Amino acid sequence: MEKAMKLIGPWLSGFTRRTAITMKLLDIPFEHLNLNAYTDKDEVRRYSPMGKVPALVFDNGETMIDSSGIIDVLHEMVGPEKALIPPSGPARFRALKLNAIGMNIYPKLSSLYDETLRPKEHQLQSVFEGLAEQAIIGLTLLEQETGDGWLVNDKFGQADIMTAICYQAASMFILPDLVTAKNFPRLAALTERAMKIDAFASTVPHF
Ligand SMILES: N[C@@H](CCC(=O)N[C@@H](CS)C(=O)NCC(=O)O)C(=O)O
């Protein structure tokens, strides 16, 4: 029997989550190891020596970290027809451009969370505000690019996945007062559409 790949990381990590959603949509079976980079450090390092998640252990035993590289390999495995990003041209450009905005919003949300872990006397309001401002600018850019369907070629793909992951993390957990359906109606609607897709809905973290 072929050995299933192992995906290491929790759904609370948006990068792990996008990798899992991709694997589910591409029908690539995997075993999920729900290990947290911070609270399960030693176990994570057995697979991912730097302690980063996601890490994917391929069926040949090799391990890769970083969701972008992993997803690139997964897309190559299934071929351009099934890949969740257009193979070339303006549609690919748009997908990469919008996905990159999401990929740069998410670390701001993670840093905002990390700031809350500091003792109050070591927290800086200016740091909170700076990070929140950058996240909001990114979400505003995505809101402006969102219509009634999916973001690229009206096919659910990588840009939609990262956009909806960012909107959920911001609205449900990190910036619930600022990131609301009232302020970002198109992102809220896009996320609602994504929630109808099992691969997406089945990976919502317990915020
Ligand atoms: N660019 C990486 C980012 C991965 C990342 O930062 N993961 C976080 C969890 S969301 C992590 O591993 N944190 C632990 C650490 O940096 O030590 C990717 O796309 O996979």
Side-chain angles (χ1 to χ4, degrees), residues 13-15 18 37-38 50-54 66-68 103 106 110:
S13 154
F15 303 110
R18 75 191 280 258
Y38 303 99
M50 286 181 69
K52 293 297 291 187
V53 296
D66 205 290
S67 61
S68 295
M103 289 294 284
Y106 203 86
S110 300

Side-chain angles (χ1 to χ4, degrees), residues 6-19:
K6 286 187 175 65
L7 176 64
I8 294 107
W11 297 161
L12 196 56
S13 154
F15 303 110
T16 305
R17 196 178 167 202
R18 75 191 280 258
T19 307

Side-chain angles (χ1 to χ4, degrees), residues 10-22 25 53-54 66-68 71 75 84-85 94-110 135 138-143 146 150-152 155-171 179 187-188 190-191 194-195 197 199-200 203 205 207:
W11 297 161
L12 196 56
S13 154
F15 303 110
T16 305
R17 196 178 167 202
R18 75 191 280 258
T19 307
I21 294 167
T22 301
L25 289 170
V53 296
D66 205 290
S67 61
S68 295
I71 289 173
H75 281 164
L84 302 170
I85 188 158
R94 178 170 164 80
L96 291 172
K97 178 183 122 170
L98 299 183
N99 189 58
I101 296 174
M103 289 294 284
N104 282 277
I105 293 171
Y106 203 86
K108 301 296 163 191
L109 300 176
S110 300
L139 289 166
T140 305
L141 290 171
L142 292 174
E143 172 79 10
T146 305
W150 301 119
L151 287 163
V152 184
K155 182 180 173 231
F156 187 65
Q158 293 300 340
D160 304 290
I161 294 171
M162 202 55 205
T163 297
I165 285 175
C166 287
Y167 178 78
Q168 274 188 332
S171 63
V179 181
L187 294 187
L190 180 122
T191 304
M195 285 298 283
I197 297 170
F200 187 88
T203 60
F207 288 117

